[in-house]
Amino acid sequence: MKNIKETYNKKMRKMFTENMKSIFTEDMLKKYDENTLNVLKEVWIDILNVKYEEANKKIVNINKQEIYEIIWNMADITESFTFYGFSQYMYKKTENVIWLNLSASLLSFTFCCVEGAYAVGIFHAREAVKIEKNLENLLTLLSFYGLPEHLMDDKEAENIAKEILELDKNNESAICVLNEILNSKKE
């Protein structure tokens, strides 16, 4: 069994190295030294092996917005649900809304083909807005409008879009949703 796990981890380290340009932005690659990249490779392995506490200890000094993007990209490459589990673990541990947003985003994009993913994703997005009503959280929530599952009605979407426009009067997503709702009322 140990040999199988070592083989798997070796394969995952190789996959990480092969996909570094997809995992990190160019700025991150310039900023991170080889040691940091090796630590993040081990974070990748820890998450895939559901060693969330070990992964958490290794990311403590990394900017939360960067780690959000890194974890998102790692999940997208592997399509492993363990990254969603990690985002939930981190939210429970830190109560930082960024982890709820990551959970919502992972469910609505990376794992959207899983039955119920959108429903759980919108739940996380609504919770994030309840905790911290800001532009990012509102936009995440609004991204659930128009899905085939019809998890958000026009009234809720209209209210969210208007709140977004109060914060960013030229926000294209909010304007697009409001126009879509207006056009549907004309029909």
Side-chain angles (χ1 to χ4, degrees):
M1 177 74 165
K2 185 177 179 182
N3 194 22
I4 293 170
K5 185 58 101 177
E6 288 173 13
T7 302
Y8 171 79
N9 288 346
K10 185 177 179 179
K11 179 180 171 186
M12 290 300 105
R13 284 184 185 91
K14 182 179 179 194
M15 180 190 282
F16 178 91
T17 302
E18 290 170 351
N19 289 284
M20 282 184 27
K21 289 185 178 180
S22 299
I23 296 170
F24 303 103
T25 64
E26 284 186 37
D27 289 341
M28 287 179 202
L29 285 172
K30 289 176 188 172
K31 180 172 119 176
Y32 296 152
D33 61 13
E34 189 174 333
N35 184 49
T36 303
L37 291 173
N38 285 331
V39 167
L40 289 168
K41 187 184 295 186
E42 293 309 309
V43 167
W44 160 290
I45 299 300
D46 288 342
I47 293 172
L48 288 170
N49 287 303
V50 197
K51 295 180 179 178
Y52 296 153
E53 185 57 34
E54 287 86 348
N56 177 40
K57 289 175 187 173
K58 292 172 184 165
I59 64 167
V60 78
N61 293 323
I62 299 173
N63 172 292
K64 293 303 173 235
Q65 192 57 46
E66 287 179 3
I67 203 65
Y68 173 104
E69 193 170 337
I70 291 166
I71 298 295
W72 167 287
N73 291 336
M74 287 176 174
D76 196 48
I77 289 165
T78 62
E79 296 181 344
S80 173
F81 214 69
T82 58
F83 290 93
Y84 169 75
F86 180 70
S87 67
Q88 284 295 286
Y89 168 82
M90 290 301 295
Y91 176 68
K92 183 179 178 189
K93 187 162 188 71
T94 67
E95 295 184 353
N96 187 324
V97 177
I98 196 167
W99 297 107
L100 274 180
N101 280 328
L102 180 58
S103 294
S105 295
L106 287 172
L107 290 168
S108 63
F109 295 101
T110 305
F111 305 117
C112 61
C113 60
V114 176
E115 183 68 32
Y118 285 130
V120 177
I122 199 170
F123 169 79
H124 290 316
R126 286 178 176 141
E127 290 297 302
V129 168
K130 284 181 192 174
I131 295 166
E132 190 176 322
K133 192 178 280 192
N134 62 27
L135 183 61
E136 180 185 356
N137 294 348
L138 289 166
L139 284 168
T140 299
L141 181 55
L142 188 63
S143 71
F144 287 89
Y145 177 70
L147 295 174
E149 287 84 352
H150 199 70
L151 298 168
M152 179 183 295
D153 62 27
D154 288 351
K155 186 66 181 162
E156 181 183 7
E158 184 177 350
N159 291 338
I160 294 166
K162 287 178 179 177
E163 288 184 68
I164 290 169
L165 290 174
E166 287 177 17
L167 299 170
D168 177 7
K169 66 181 180 180
N170 296 317
N171 187 279
E172 290 181 28
S173 296
I175 292 168
C176 182
V177 166
L178 288 175
N179 285 334
E180 187 177 324
I181 292 169
L182 183 64
N183 289 333
S184 71
K185 287 180 181 178
K186 289 179 182 177
E187 294 172 1

